[in-house]
Amino acid sequence: MNWFYLGGAITLEVIATSAMKMSDGLTRPGPVVVVVLGYLAAFALLAQALKTMEVGIAYAIWSAAGTAAIAAIGVLLFGETLGPMKLLGLALIVAGVISLHMAGGPA
């Protein structure tokens, strides 16, 4: 169940961050509501996941998956670029999460 909570937290955080981009500096009420509710729900689900997961591993997965998803959304929806250095950075993030997971105990 902890993976379900973590996956939900990641999904909601990505939605909230995307809405923040669309909020025009938090000046558009619709996206602002999505930002606030999305982050509140994301942290609530992350808190549930942390009841049984190691905080370092859970947060590493949460932040890395969110970073990768937001990078992809930036390219696909917002016309941002994805060059070799960004790809390398994302690969290093993934490698770091994998090494934390391998060094940690059961999730």
Side-chain angles (χ1 to χ4, degrees):
M1 193 65 162
N2 56 348
W3 290 103
F4 172 77
Y5 290 135
L6 185 59
I10 292 165
T11 301
L12 290 169
E13 185 267 335
V14 168
I15 290 168
T17 301
S18 299
M20 189 180 303
K21 174 73 172 171
M22 293 182 278
S23 76
D24 196 27
L26 300 177
T27 61
R28 297 180 56 222
V32 170
V33 169
V34 174
V35 170
V36 172
L37 294 178
Y39 279 126
L40 285 173
F43 279 106
L45 288 176
L46 180 60
Q48 293 303 309
L50 290 177
K51 286 181 176 180
T52 57
M53 295 181 79
E54 291 185 15
V55 68
I57 292 172
Y59 190 79
I61 293 168
W62 183 61
S63 60
T67 299
I70 287 297
I73 288 169
V75 170
L76 296 172
L77 298 181
F78 302 123
E80 298 175 1
T81 61
L82 186 61
M85 287 304 290
K86 283 185 183 179
L87 288 171
L88 175 62
L90 289 170
L92 290 172
I93 290 169
V94 171
V97 170
I98 291 169
S99 68
L100 279 173
H101 196 347
M102 289 174 62

